Amino acid sequence: MNAGSAVARNDALAAARGDIIGFLDADDLWTDRHLASLLPMLADPALDCARGWTRMTALADPGIDLGESYQPILLGAGLYRRSVFDRVGGFEPVLRAGEDLDMAARIGEAGVRIAVTTEIVLVYRRHDRSAVAKAGAVQRGQFDAIRSRLRRGGHA
Amino acid sequence: MSYSGAYRVNEPKVVSETLDGETIAIDLESGSYFSMNPAASVVWNLILDGHPAAAFPAVVAARFDVAPEDAAGDIERFVESLVRDRLVVAAEPRAVAAPVIAAQGRAPYEAPSVERFDDMQELLLADPIHDVTLAGWPHLPPT
């Protein structure tokens, strides 16, 4: 049992030295367009985050096409200025799951300036033993992220 | 209550969890989420367990500092709002036994209430985890 993905992501943020942060989780793939399409977008100093679209497939059979879409929760589908995390804080380790959903919500609330390209920048490979395969765990993550959202308050 | 039957939670489109007296429900089709206070959570869990609506006031009165006849109207309005938001639908009672009337301390009463939030719709709908079938996911336009 490790300390969980929130702690791992915070450790990585602490260790990173660059001004632009990218994430790549186990089993996910950046496409060859990831840096090529997202990095130039951040040349615009008015932007804090660049996101692309995600293609979902199955780890067991990459030929299975589960569609392409905009998945703002998947951290691997974006590049973020380090200043984003200075502003909104790190990942929330007390969450049982859903630290990525929680972060996406906080980034939205903080008014982080985001640009989106429809280019495919991430391949999300689902397999039955991945951390998210159990729908129950994912649902818990959603409940956790929602409770965290309600504690922050300030709904419009 | 005007309706003598029971209700069921509108599964699978609605999922819920009760923690520390607060229930969160998510409408997976709309991405809306709902927060229910302690009295509402008691009623919600009675619905989940398939108890008839007629049993709700006595259970609420046993858990909170309120008379059943005073709670009945609040409960009816609460359930009506659940029906309006399609979180629950009318159904036949399914519970095999009467609800347990707990002999524990009664908490201060606040009328059951549910609050709806739409600020995380995009994120909840986009969560790729929902779509574990080969049908693909909902396509969201970039915003």
Side-chain angles (χ1 to χ4, degrees):
Chain A
M1 185 75 188
N2 58 34
S5 39
V7 170
R9 293 189 202 282
N10 285 336
D11 287 349
L13 279 177
R17 289 289 162 261
D19 290 328
I20 292 178
I21 306 291
F23 298 86
L24 183 58
D25 289 2
D27 298 337
D28 292 354
L29 300 171
W30 281 6
T31 68
D32 56 5
R33 297 296 302 155
H34 189 285
L35 292 173
S37 61
L38 298 182
L39 208 45
M41 292 162 70
L42 289 180
D44 179 353
L47 289 178
D48 303 312
C49 168
R51 285 178 180 148
W53 276 36
T54 295
R55 172 182 304 128
M56 195 180 210
T57 184
L59 185 59
D61 181 359
I64 293 179
D65 179 9
L66 295 173
E68 299 171 350
S69 58
Y70 177 52
Q71 296 292 326
I73 296 167
L74 296 180
L75 291 152
L79 289 178
Y80 299 80
R81 269 189 227 291
R82 168 179 290 280
S83 57
V84 168
F85 303 100
D86 297 337
R87 256 167 77 191
V88 307
F91 293 89
E92 185 47 75
V94 302
L95 299 186
R96 294 166 296 180
E99 86 289 344
D100 46 1
L101 172 58
D102 179 65
M103 178 58 75
R106 285 155 55 201
I107 283 174
E109 288 161 43
V112 169
R113 294 158 299 181
I114 301 167
V116 179
T117 172
T118 54
E119 279 206 75
I120 304 299
V121 300
L122 185 76
V123 177
Y124 183 91
R125 301 189 295 177
R126 238 202 11 245
H127 70 126
D128 291 337
R129 289 188 200 130
S130 76
V132 297
K134 288 184 179 161
V138 171
Q139 220 98 69
R140 275 203 303 281
Q142 294 178 329
F143 289 126
D144 277 6
I146 287 171
R147 289 180 200 282
S148 167
R149 172 73 193 92
L150 289 169
R151 279 194 296 274
R152 287 195 298 279
H155 287 83
Chain B
M1 299 183 74
S2 55
Y3 176 64
S4 57
Y7 300 88
R8 63 171 177 81
V9 172
N10 199 1
E11 293 165 327
K13 97 178 184 112
V14 175
V15 294
S16 69
E17 182 190 64
T18 303
L19 263 188
D20 299 328
E22 181 192 32
T23 296
I24 303 293
I26 309 172
D27 180 337
L28 296 173
E29 283 179 10
S30 70
S32 299
Y33 62 97
F34 301 80
S35 166
M36 300 178 215
N37 72 354
S41 296
V42 167
V43 174
W44 179 264
N45 281 280
L46 290 170
I47 293 171
L48 270 179
D49 292 339
H51 291 294
F56 298 170
V59 178
V60 168
R63 300 280 298 275
F64 301 93
D65 188 15
V66 64
E69 58 273 22
D70 294 334
D74 294 339
I75 292 169
E76 189 170 341
R77 278 186 293 278
F78 165 65
V79 174
E80 279 168 3
S81 76
L82 296 181
V83 171
R84 255 196 323 275
D85 279 319
R86 299 201 41 80
L87 293 179
V88 305
V89 293
E92 291 301 311
R94 302 178 322 283
V96 291
V100 175
I101 306 286
Q104 60 205 51
R106 294 163 88 212
Y109 177 69
E110 275 181 45
S113 68
V114 55
E115 208 174 346
R116 171 185 179 141
F117 300 95
D118 296 325
D119 62 309
M120 286 174 66
Q121 270 175 322
E122 179 186 69
L123 296 176
L124 292 170
L125 285 179
D127 195 329
I129 309 323
H130 289 157
D131 299 285
V132 290
T133 69
L134 298 188
W137 337 326
H139 280 230
L140 290 182
T143 52

